[in-house]
Structures are given as C-alpha cells and as structure tokens.
Amino acid sequence: MGGIKSAVCLAALWLAGTNLNGMEARIPIYKNMIINAPGHYVVTRDIMSAAAPVIRILVPGVRLDLNGHELSTTSTTAPVIEIAASPAIPGWWGIRGGRLSGGSRGIHKLAGNSGDQVYIEEVSIASTSAEGILLVSVERAEMLRVDVEGAVGSGMDIMGDLPTSTIRVRDSVVRNVGLHGIFLHTGAMNLPFTTTLTGNTVRGAGGYGIRVDGGGGGTVSDNHVAAFGGTTPGAAGIYYLAEPRPDPLISLLLSGNTVAGGGTDDDGFRVLGKNSAVVTNNVIQHNGRYGMVFDCTGCRIAGNTVASNLNHGMVVLSGGTNS
C-alpha cells in the first residue's frame, strides 16, 4: 500500500511541475541528446533529426518537458524517445507537453525493473512504423490526454507484470492505427494488474479497439470506440480477458461505454474469465457479429442498450452464472 501511495504522490508532484528535490535547475535540450543524469529537462526548440533516438534516457528520475515543441525523425528503426531502464533498481520517468513524429515508436521504454513507473501527459504522437507508445514491464503507467495517430502497430502497448501494477489511460485519443487502439497486457510472469480506462476515444483500429489481456479488475468507463477490426478477424471493440488475482475483492466495472462499427466478424464487448464484473449503461450497436459476449462468474449485466448488431445482441457462454 505504501508503494501505491508514493506512486500517487509522485504523479501529483510531476503533473503539478513540482520538483521532488527542491529548487532544481531546468536543463535545456536543443539537439539530439543522451540523458545520463537525473533532473528536469526542457526542450527549447523543435528538433528534426535523421538519427534516432532523438532523446535517449539512461537513468531514472528524469522529467522531460517538451515545452510545446516537436521532436521528429525520418528513421523507421528507432524510437523518437527511448528509456533504457535498469533491471537492478526501479525507476520513474515523466514526459509531457509536446509532439513526437516518425521513428519506430514515439516513446519506447525498454525492459527494466518490474517496479518502474512512467507518466505521460499531453503528448501527441504521429506516423510511427510500429507502436505509438510501447512500455515494457511497469508497475505503474499513467497516460493523460495523449493523442496517437497513424501508428502502423498499436496506438498504446503497455505491459504490467506485478499484482500491484496499475495502468491508467484517461482522456486520450487513438486514431487510424494498424493494430489495437489501446493494448494492456501482462508479461512473462502472467500476473494480473489493475486497469483504469476512462474517457478515451478510439476510432479506426485494424485490431481491437481496447484490449486488456490479464486484467485483474478496475474500471473501464465512458470510452468511445468506433470503426475497429478491419484487419484482425474476430476482434472486439472492448475486450477484457481476466487473470485470477490474490485479491478477489477487486471487481471490474464497465460502464457508460459506446461501441459501434465493428467489422463483419467483430463483437462489441467481450468479457472472459472475470469474477464480479458489473456491466451497465453501455451502448453497443452496428457491429458485425454479436453485441456482447460474456464468460464470467457472478457478472451483473443491466441497463445496457444493444441494437442493430448483425447477430445476437448478447451471448453468455458456459461456465458462468450471471444476473
């Protein structure tokens, strides 16, 4: 619990722009840079480079303020910003306030310590040759008002690998990506994590709109998903595959979501394996296969609007009891 509280406090301090170590000088960035010391870095001009990464971060404890500027590269084989985390100690990083374009990914955190934390706020990412954002092995990830467009892979691909892992994506937009809009999943340890996905818009995803593999509970609410599944057979607008977790009291709430416009073999909702899910006040319509598919124990499904899907409005698979 102490680790979660400290993470929340850290996020609040970062988002408020407060220095964690007193009055710290802001270090300017005006060209390609390797960051090898903790601190608060500020981009002072647009940077366009054929070489990538444009910024490579080798140490934890770095806040990077893009300061409204754009970092771009013509490279398709390396990211615009790379975080090379250490497997020895957990670290944290924050990136905010600017635009990234080109590269294999806008932001790529390499595999490091499973206790790593990453905070990204008000960053726009465009035209990457793989994912827009790829975060490998995090205990906590916070995406707030992030915009991803034109990624060849998924818009956001985030891996949590601890029972204490929390992944939050809020008020973000993903458009016209080749694979999944928002993809959250476990790593090699296959341990469940807690999710918060609220107020996001996904429009134009070749795969799933929002896909959670290995979630242990949380909230998926007030998201809008449209035009998905064009290149992935049997996709879903919102897909939640649960893993059993040590704390059975953490339930799943899916509420206030709108899903429409799946391909000819795609479902609006698909919830598999979750205990104690509450599914209410969602609008699911104009999808190419089923409106909602459930295989869960103790799910409460009420007050949803399901209309104009090609096949059944709701399908409940064997092995679960629902009300």
Side-chain angles (χ1 to χ4, degrees):
M1 181 63 72
I4 295 175
K5 287 183 178 178
S6 64
V8 172
C9 292
L10 175 60
L13 289 170
W14 158 252
L15 294 175
T18 304
N19 176 22
L20 301 177
N21 301 305
M23 296 302 292
E24 174 187 55
R26 297 186 178 188
I27 304 164
I29 296 177
Y30 53 90
K31 61 179 181 179
N32 287 51
M33 186 173 185
I34 296 175
I35 297 176
N36 52 25
H40 188 175
Y41 293 79
V42 179
V43 176
T44 59
R45 58 186 291 268
D46 292 351
I47 303 172
M48 190 279 173
S49 174
V54 178
I55 296 177
R56 189 164 190 245
I57 303 172
L58 300 180
V59 293
V62 170
R63 291 202 308 277
L64 176 61
D65 187 351
L66 299 174
N67 195 27
H69 292 291
E70 180 174 359
L71 308 182
S72 61
T73 179
T74 55
S75 171
T76 59
T77 58
V80 180
I81 297 174
E82 181 179 88
I83 300 172
S86 168
I89 55 172
W92 62 264
W93 298 266
I95 301 170
R96 70 181 302 181
R99 303 178 303 279
L100 310 174
S101 65
S104 58
R105 301 168 178 96
I107 299 170
H108 184 186
K109 176 199 169 291
L110 304 177
N113 189 286
S114 56
D116 288 341
Q117 303 174 20
V118 180
Y119 304 92
I120 302 173
E121 179 190 12
E122 294 182 351
V123 174
S124 297
I125 298 171
S127 305
T128 57
S129 64
E131 299 85 6
I133 295 173
L134 176 60
L135 306 181
V136 181
S137 189
V138 293
E139 180 179 19
R140 189 176 186 92
E142 299 256 4
M143 310 288 114
L144 177 62
R145 294 188 294 275
V146 174
D147 188 300
V148 179
E149 183 172 12
V152 173
S154 296
M156 303 180 192
D157 184 327
I158 305 172
M159 185 183 81
D161 207 18
L162 288 173
T164 54
S165 290
T166 300
I167 302 174
R168 303 175 69 185
V169 183
R170 296 176 292 155
D171 300 329
S172 296
V173 178
V174 177
R175 294 169 289 178
N176 303 325
V177 297
L179 196 52
H180 312 314
I182 300 172
F183 181 30
L184 314 181
H185 56 102
T186 62
M189 297 176 68
N190 205 36
L191 297 172
F193 53 89
T194 301
T195 53
T196 300
L197 291 155
T198 60
N200 303 293
T201 297
V202 177
R203 178 177 292 275
Y208 294 70
I210 295 174
R211 176 168 180 164
V212 180
D213 283 2
T219 301
V220 181
S221 66
D222 302 309
N223 302 287
H224 303 277
V225 179
F228 58 90
T231 60
T232 300
I238 296 178
Y239 173 92
Y240 201 103
L241 173 64
E243 292 287 344
R245 64 177 297 144
D247 186 353
L249 299 179
I250 298 179
S251 62
L252 171 65
L253 172 65
L254 293 103
S255 177
N257 302 286
T258 301
V259 178
T264 56
D265 56 359
D266 302 322
D267 304 327
F269 266 27
R270 198 178 304 150
V271 181
L272 307 176
K274 185 71 191 89
N275 298 333
S276 304
V278 177
V279 183
T280 183
N281 296 325
N282 302 284
V283 177
I284 314 296
Q285 57 188 357
H286 302 297
N287 296 291
R289 195 169 68 160
Y290 305 126
M292 310 170 82
V293 179
F294 298 96
D295 185 0
C296 55
T297 301
C299 288
R300 292 185 61 242
I301 305 165
N304 303 284
T305 299
V306 183
S308 301
N309 300 285
L310 186 60
N311 288 304
H312 305 305
M314 182 168 66
V315 175
V316 179
L317 302 175
S318 61
T321 58
N322 307 282
S323 63

